[in-house]
């Protein structure tokens, strides 16, 4: 074979196997995210007899219970996202920049790691057993002050009570994410701000918060989604006392009384839409907040 | 009265004394370098002037006003940090204008001053870039402009070039010196790089273990080190143990080889142990027989360093470094050759401690 023969042959393209590394992720995303989403979309337009209908979608905007469920879910998600973010941020600040002993930081990190994953039935039971109608703390308060909390109108089985329960896993998540971000604030930035005549307010207003904003926004959207999609904790805690979208979906798909899978899928589609909107808002804010980042 | 006075300042961190009895008077428009190894207290002293650390003892007086207890944000000093410390969320213009914004200057004045500063550092077209879009040298120039924007009385520079590569360091240090001279601003420059300190400064303070070893002009520091530490830290130095032979004539002996020194040996007696030193560039090959010290030697090694050729010569039992300018037409000796080197008696330093 001479040189001319070699030149006349097209170069052999080498197979690129790099994509194999990310294939499991894409397979996972297709099987457990895209296909279920497609299925939800398709079934949202299905009546109980299998025929095509717009009734389920129309119900989202016309049935009062459903509108209220979305309102309550959004309220709880917003309250616990903002509350968890503020409380978690302050806690992370105290641990990282508050000059506390190193041991406290280790303890807080471990606690946050556990607490952020402590949800569902065990969490609901823990609150019922401590602050429920016959809970340990409730009885203790009643015994000490000789009062009846129920007669005073105190109950944790409402939106605010559920918000407190959710906060138990929301703020530790904030601590876990914000602690490294606060660690990333360099001492020189504070000193430079001070050297240029700034005080603590100026530093936080113009330097630290804008630098932390992408992390704050990211965590808040995570907390929002965390609360918005929570089902087991709410169901175990309140049964169907609190009208949440997730509980309504459960009732429509599994319930004996309200069985209407098409409506359940439409409710889920509504949740996907709201999360999509939140994500779009997040991306827009993130772009503005992080335009200084590489 | 000096413009900036650092009087008997000490700083303790727990039981550790980081700075001990530091005394320095700096005149207006003067650039003084603090030179020393890591942990010698130079940055701590600078931070005390900036107000980021409070002295344990002593006072700091600027323009006749005691600023020792004044908060950092009320002192009229600008600081340039080793790691630039630019605010990453602000553009170049935002960084430079930050102090003016805090001072509630009008937008017009802020823009005008920012423009002036950008012109000063030759970066007028970079106003809208973010720090991550700049090279290290450009970031440090912006940091310098930011520190100067408020027209501070004193400029503090904390190892501003140590994160940059060698070529940029050389050009930027010249730029810093030019700007400092142009503005006539009093400046303190912290560095562990002797070349930087010697080339930039009006005066150099050499520090070691929290104490001032010597204060002087670069010329004095290099040519007439007062302590063994200064002699060994600044520049390359040959040192050896020697013995006083004749104090009146400045005669000392190293391994039986006699050297004449111009240093004052009064107060020493014959047989006293001393430490002698000679800078490598003070040795010459014996083309001048009239030099005070004419010494037999053997060539041990030759290293080519670019503009300089370093030759190791064995005098008696001790190997000395000898530097000579690189000259392509000069015939260098060969390893193992025997010859003679000379040095003046002024080149032979006898260091007291």
């Amino acid at each position: 074979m001479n040189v001319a023969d070699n030149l006349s042959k097209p170069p052999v393209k080498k197979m690129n196997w790099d994509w194999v590394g990310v294939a499991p992720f894409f397979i996972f995303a297709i099987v457990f995210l895209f296909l279920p989403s497609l299925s939800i979309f398709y079934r949202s337009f299905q009546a109980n007899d299998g025929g095509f209908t717009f009734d389920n979608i129309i119900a989202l905007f016309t049935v009062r219970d459903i509108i209220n469920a979305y309102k309550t879910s959004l309220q709880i998600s917003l309250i616990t996202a903002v509350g968890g973010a503020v409380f978690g941020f302050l806690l992370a600040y105290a641990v990282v920049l508050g000059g506390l002993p190193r041991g406290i930081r280790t303890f807080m990190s471990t606690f946050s790691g556990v607490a952020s994953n402590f949800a569902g039935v065990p969490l609901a039971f823990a609150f019922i057993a401590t602050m429920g109608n016959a809970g340990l703390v409730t009885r203790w308060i009643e015994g000490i002050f000789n009062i009846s909390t129920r007669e005073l109108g105190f109950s944790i089985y409402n939106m605010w009570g559920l918000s407190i329960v959710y906060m138990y896993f929301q703020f530790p998540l904030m601590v876990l994410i914000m602690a490294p971000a606060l660690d990333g604030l360099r001492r020189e930035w504070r000193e430079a701000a001070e050297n240029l005549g700034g005080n603590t307010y100026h530093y936080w207003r113009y330097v630290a918060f804008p630098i932390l904003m992408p992390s704050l926004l990211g965590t808040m959207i995570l907390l929002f989604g965390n609360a918005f999609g929570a089902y087991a904790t709410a169901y175990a805690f309140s049964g169907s006392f609190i009208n949440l979208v997730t509980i309504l979906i459960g009732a429509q798909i599994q319930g004996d009384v309200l069985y209407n899978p098409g409506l359940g899928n439409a409710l889920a589609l509504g949740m996907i839409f709201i999360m999509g909107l939140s994500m779009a808002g997040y991306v827009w804010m993130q772009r503005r907040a992080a335009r200084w980042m590489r | 009265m000096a413009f900036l006075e650092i009087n008997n300042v000490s700083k303790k961190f727990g039981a550790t004394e980081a700075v001990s009895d530091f005394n320095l008077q700096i005149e207006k428009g003067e650039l003084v370098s603090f030179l020393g190894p890591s942990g010698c207290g130079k940055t701590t002293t600078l931070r005390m002037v900036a107000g980021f650390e409070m002295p344990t003892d002593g006072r700091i007086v600027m323009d006749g006003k005691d600023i020792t207890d004044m908060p950092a944000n009320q002192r009229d000093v600008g600081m340039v940090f080793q790691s630039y410390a630019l605010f990453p969320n602000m553009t170049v213009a935002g960084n430079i204008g930050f102090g003016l914004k805090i001072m509630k200057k009008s937008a017009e004045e802020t823009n005008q001053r920012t423009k002036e500063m950008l012109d000063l550092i030759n970066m007028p077209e970079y106003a809208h870039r973010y720090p991550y879009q700049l090279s290290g040298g450009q970031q440090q120039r912006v940091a310098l402009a930011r520190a100067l924007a408020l027209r501070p009385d004193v400029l503090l520079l904390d190892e501003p070039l140590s994160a940059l590569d060698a070529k940029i360091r050389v050009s930027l240090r010249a730029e810093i010196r030019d700007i400092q001279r142009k503005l006539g601003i009093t400046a303190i420059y912290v560095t562990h790089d002797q070349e930087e300190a010697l080339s930039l400064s009006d005066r150099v303070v050499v520090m070691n273990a929290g104490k001032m070893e010597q204060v002087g002009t670069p010329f004095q520091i290099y040519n007439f080190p007062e302590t063994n530490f200064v002699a060994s830290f600044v520049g390359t130095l040959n040192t050896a143990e020697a013995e006083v032979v004749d104090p009146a004539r400045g005669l000392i002996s190293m391994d039986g080889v006699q050297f004449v020194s111009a240093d004052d040996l009064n107060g020493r007696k014959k047989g006293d142990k001393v430490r002698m030193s000679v800078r490598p560039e003070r040795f010459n090959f014996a083309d001048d027989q009239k030099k005070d010290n004419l010494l037999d030697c053997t060539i041990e090694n030759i290293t080519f360093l670019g503009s300089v050729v370093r030759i190791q010569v064995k005098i008696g039992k001790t190997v000395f470094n000898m530097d000579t300018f690189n000259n392509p037409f000069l015939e260098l000796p060969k390893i193992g050759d025997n010859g003679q080197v000379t040095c003046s008696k002024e080149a032979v330093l006898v260091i007291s401690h």
Side-chain angles (χ1 to χ4, degrees):
Chain A
M1 192 183 282
N2 57 32
V3 175
D5 288 339
N6 275 333
L7 287 175
S8 63
K9 278 187 181 174
V12 182
K13 271 195 178 173
K14 268 195 173 178
M15 186 72 181
N16 184 355
W17 291 100
D18 294 352
W19 57 271
V20 172
V22 292
F25 166 76
F26 283 112
I27 292 168
F28 192 87
I30 289 166
V31 173
F32 295 105
L33 184 68
F34 292 112
L35 291 181
S37 301
L38 273 178
S39 162
I40 285 171
F41 182 80
Y42 172 72
R43 288 180 191 193
S44 298
F45 296 94
Q46 240 179 5
N48 273 352
D49 60 5
F52 179 83
T53 180
F54 275 117
D55 288 353
N56 299 326
I57 302 295
I58 291 167
L60 297 183
F61 300 97
T62 53
V63 178
R64 194 194 294 169
D65 266 2
I66 293 175
I67 295 169
N68 285 340
Y70 273 110
K71 265 189 193 167
T72 313
S73 282
L74 282 171
Q75 276 173 336
I76 290 184
S77 305
L78 280 172
I79 289 167
T80 61
V82 174
V86 171
F87 187 42
F89 178 81
L90 292 175
L91 210 61
Y93 177 86
V95 168
V96 177
L97 302 170
L100 295 173
R102 190 90 195 148
I104 291 186
R105 177 165 185 176
T106 312
F107 169 77
M108 273 308 299
S109 301
T110 311
F111 168 77
S112 299
V114 175
S116 62
N117 288 294
F118 188 60
V121 179
L123 177 65
F125 180 73
F127 270 85
I128 291 167
T130 50
M131 296 176 73
N133 292 341
L136 200 71
V137 176
T138 314
R139 283 294 155 96
W140 183 61
I141 291 169
E142 286 181 341
I144 289 175
F145 298 105
N146 201 20
I147 50 166
S148 165
T149 52
R150 251 177 303 175
E151 280 174 18
L152 288 170
F154 172 81
S155 170
I156 58 163
Y157 301 112
N158 55 33
M159 190 190 77
W160 290 104
L162 186 60
S163 296
I164 292 170
V165 176
Y166 278 13
M167 288 283 277
Y168 190 82
F169 58 78
Q170 293 280 67
F171 85 80
L173 194 58
M174 186 74 177
V175 172
L176 282 182
I177 299 174
M178 283 318 292
L182 285 165
D183 262 332
L185 289 176
R186 285 164 45 192
R187 187 183 71 170
E188 291 91 338
W189 291 333
R190 178 186 272 274
E191 289 179 350
E194 223 177 315
N195 181 250
L196 295 163
N199 53 28
T200 305
Y201 164 76
H202 294 130
Y203 167 67
W204 281 98
R205 164 72 182 80
Y206 297 114
V207 182
F209 267 127
I211 289 172
L212 291 174
M213 198 47 80
S215 305
L216 277 168
L217 287 173
T219 317
M220 275 178 71
I221 194 77
L222 187 67
L223 296 188
F224 179 84
N226 214 17
F228 196 57
Y231 170 65
T233 311
Y235 190 72
F237 182 69
S238 69
S240 54
F241 278 121
I242 301 172
N243 188 20
L244 294 179
V245 182
T246 46
I247 289 176
L248 217 53
I249 293 171
Q252 298 296 344
I253 291 176
Q254 298 173 334
D256 297 326
V257 183
L258 296 171
Y259 184 72
N260 183 352
L263 183 58
N265 279 296
L267 285 162
L269 189 66
M271 288 186 80
I272 293 173
F273 181 72
I274 289 171
M275 276 315 291
L277 269 185
S278 315
M279 286 301 294
Y282 161 71
V283 169
W284 181 76
M285 286 191 287
Q286 175 81 357
R287 276 207 185 139
R288 281 180 61 84
R291 61 190 161 189
W292 51 272
M293 290 172 107
R294 247 166 250 266
Chain B
M1 193 182 204
F3 184 71
L4 179 66
E5 293 180 40
I6 305 170
N7 297 327
N8 306 102
V9 163
S10 301
K11 176 68 186 175
K12 280 185 182 166
F13 294 105
T16 312
E17 190 161 44
V19 179
S20 171
D21 199 25
F22 191 97
N23 272 294
L24 184 69
Q25 274 71 46
I26 303 175
E27 297 302 329
K28 196 162 178 61
E30 196 179 13
L31 192 154
V32 176
S33 288
F34 294 172
L35 173 67
S38 297
C40 71
K42 54 191 190 298
T43 295
T44 306
T45 310
L46 189 86
R47 289 172 62 78
M48 286 192 279
V49 176
F52 298 135
E53 302 285 354
M54 288 295 145
T56 311
D57 278 313
R59 312 304 298 170
I60 299 170
V61 179
M62 195 164 82
D63 201 12
K65 197 160 113 191
D66 190 334
I67 60 162
T68 317
D69 303 315
M70 190 183 273
N73 59 359
Q74 287 170 28
R75 297 186 184 200
D76 210 359
V77 298
M79 181 143 169
V80 177
F81 297 82
Q82 182 179 358
S83 56
Y84 327 133
L86 292 181
F87 306 129
N89 57 315
M90 294 178 202
T91 59
V92 166
N95 268 282
I96 295 173
F98 181 81
L100 299 154
K101 186 170 155 184
I102 299 295
M103 295 295 153
K104 293 194 165 49
K105 301 284 181 196
S106 68
E108 196 186 334
E109 193 182 341
T110 304
N111 291 339
Q112 176 62 29
R113 184 66 180 154
T114 302
K115 197 179 163 306
E116 276 171 33
M117 288 294 103
L118 284 167
D119 288 340
L120 185 74
I121 57 168
N122 293 317
M123 289 177 67
E125 68 278 24
Y126 289 82
H128 301 295
R129 298 235 184 138
Y130 283 98
Y132 81 89
Q133 294 169 312
L134 306 176
S135 68
Q138 288 170 333
Q139 286 189 56
Q140 199 55 295
R141 277 151 72 194
V142 174
L144 178 66
R146 181 179 69 176
L148 291 169
L150 283 174
R151 296 185 176 87
D153 283 338
V154 175
L155 177 66
L156 307 175
L157 302 113
D158 184 10
E159 306 212 29
L161 308 180
S162 60
L164 304 173
D165 62 61
K167 226 170 183 172
I168 304 281
R169 270 211 306 262
V170 173
S171 67
L172 198 50
R173 81 180 179 216
E175 209 169 317
I176 288 173
R177 183 57 160 156
D178 275 354
I179 290 172
Q180 184 267 335
R181 276 198 177 125
K182 199 190 287 183
L183 301 177
I185 191 169
T186 311
I188 302 178
Y189 191 102
V190 163
T191 181
H192 62 263
D193 183 331
Q194 43 163 308
E195 191 187 310
E196 223 167 82
L198 296 177
S199 62
L200 268 177
S201 323
D202 294 312
R203 278 191 301 157
V204 178
V205 179
V206 184
M207 293 180 71
N208 181 34
K211 292 188 175 70
M212 300 167 80
E213 289 273 336
Q214 189 176 346
V215 185
T217 63
F219 185 84
Q220 288 167 334
I221 294 286
Y222 188 82
N223 292 310
F224 307 106
E226 286 172 4
T227 68
N228 200 28
F229 175 81
V230 176
S232 59
F233 188 76
V234 181
T236 310
L237 193 72
N238 298 296
T239 58
E241 293 295 334
E243 201 177 286
V244 177
V245 176
D246 183 347
R249 287 168 55 211
L251 265 183
I252 54 174
S253 164
M254 179 207 74
D255 301 335
V257 181
Q258 287 207 344
F259 285 80
V260 187
S261 171
D263 277 6
D264 186 4
L265 293 180
N266 284 334
R268 296 179 192 275
K269 55 185 188 302
K270 189 179 175 192
D272 275 0
K273 300 279 182 209
V274 291
R275 195 156 188 83
M276 60 155 284
S277 57
V278 185
R279 295 267 181 217
E281 68 274 17
R282 303 301 295 270
F283 282 119
N284 287 303
F285 282 117
D287 53 355
D288 180 2
Q289 301 288 326
K290 287 178 192 160
K291 279 274 170 75
D292 308 301
N293 294 291
L294 182 64
L295 307 154
D296 292 330
C297 68
T298 311
I299 307 299
E300 290 279 303
N301 197 11
I302 299 172
T303 314
F304 182 68
L305 300 174
S307 60
V308 167
V309 180
R310 177 156 294 169
I311 301 163
Q312 290 188 314
V313 293
K314 193 171 187 180
I315 301 170
K317 291 176 194 160
T318 307
V319 176
F320 285 82
N321 286 317
M322 170 184 161
D323 285 352
T324 177
F325 279 118
N326 174 30
N327 179 351
F329 307 106
L330 184 81
E331 198 184 328
L332 289 170
K334 290 181 183 60
I335 294 170
D337 282 359
N338 291 317
Q340 284 184 315
V341 289
T342 63
C343 66
S344 66
K345 61 182 179 183
E346 287 76 18
V348 181
L349 306 172
V350 178
I351 293 162
S352 51
H353 57 277

